[in-house]
Amino acid sequence: MASYFYLMSSLPMLRVCEQMPIKYEQFLDYCKGSVSKKSYNILKDLTPEADEGPLIKEWSGFYKKFKNELSYQRLKRLSRPANQNFDKDFEATKAISAAMADSNPLNAEKTLLLFLFDKLDSLVGTHTFDDYALFGYALKLKLLERYTSFDQNKGKQELKFILKTIEEKVEKVN
């Protein structure tokens, strides 16, 4: 297993719900000369749903349960039929329930992101300068990338647009 003393120690610390200190493309540039071609290609195509690579296999099993539970609870909240036939993770169910109870969608996303970061930390464990630590860092960076794409002002504008469209359709019906 490769050892990445310099690479891992030179990467900025990732914190939940803060701006990304490094873009994923920059991270890949740092990795280019330090990791094997195979690891680099996996990192290049990495998504939170990926299932190939060190740590990723363990993460994949958990993340599938997490996504299924999130989908189930969202459908249930909308009073839509939802399939309950999937493996559950008790901690994920609890975290998702807490997030769904929050009336502020951005706070709910923060709750879920914190939970996912904690799960990655537990999977990485005591690994510090190896593939597990590197891939854990990469997944956290991907999760932060998604989180920082949320823009509260754009969200408010979109909500206003949707409400206006609904009002116009209601007026046409009346």
Side-chain angles (χ1 to χ4, degrees):
M1 186 167 293
S3 182
Y4 306 118
F5 294 108
Y6 179 76
L7 174 62
M8 294 303 295
S9 60
S10 67
L11 293 171
M13 186 171 222
L14 301 178
R15 299 187 194 281
V16 175
C17 305
E18 289 186 9
Q19 289 298 316
M20 293 175 59
I22 181 176
K23 301 260 187 224
Y24 199 78
E25 295 78 27
Q26 292 172 297
F27 167 72
L28 288 175
D29 286 343
Y30 286 143
C31 291
K32 206 172 236 176
S34 301
V35 302
S36 70
K37 187 173 184 166
K38 180 181 178 183
S39 289
Y40 182 80
N41 286 332
I42 294 170
L43 287 168
K44 188 173 54 117
D45 299 327
L46 187 66
T47 67
E49 291 85 9
D51 61 0
E52 181 186 350
L55 174 79
I56 306 303
K57 290 178 184 175
E58 294 91 333
W59 169 257
S60 175
F62 159 76
Y63 197 67
K64 183 177 182 180
K65 292 175 189 176
F66 174 83
K67 294 288 278 189
N68 285 337
E69 182 65 33
L70 185 59
S71 177
Y72 168 75
Q73 288 196 32
R74 284 178 173 163
L75 288 170
K76 190 173 145 187
R77 185 176 187 171
L78 294 170
S79 301
R80 292 190 180 161
N83 181 9
Q84 256 185 287
N85 297 331
F86 57 88
D87 289 336
K88 292 190 176 258
D89 181 280
F90 175 74
E91 291 175 346
T93 300
K94 187 176 166 185
I96 293 167
S97 294
M100 297 292 281
D102 197 322
S103 61
N104 182 324
L106 190 57
N107 286 340
E109 286 293 333
K110 287 178 185 178
T111 299
L112 294 177
L113 182 63
L114 178 60
F115 171 70
L116 293 173
F117 263 53
D118 286 346
K119 184 62 178 183
L120 278 168
D121 285 340
S122 73
L123 289 173
V124 169
T126 59
H127 294 267
T128 310
F129 301 109
D130 61 9
D131 285 329
Y132 266 69
L134 181 68
F135 279 80
Y137 186 93
L139 281 169
K140 284 183 177 181
L141 200 52
K142 283 291 186 178
L143 292 171
L144 269 179
E145 195 173 54
R146 179 185 178 278
Y147 175 78
T148 58
S149 71
F150 298 140
D151 183 329
Q152 198 168 17
N153 291 328
K154 285 182 183 178
K156 284 180 182 179
Q157 289 174 346
E158 183 66 20
L159 178 61
K160 286 179 184 179
F161 175 76
I162 291 170
L163 290 174
K164 183 180 176 186
T165 304
I166 291 171
E167 287 172 356
E168 290 172 356
K169 287 181 180 180
V170 168
E171 285 179 13
K172 286 181 181 179
V173 171
N174 290 333

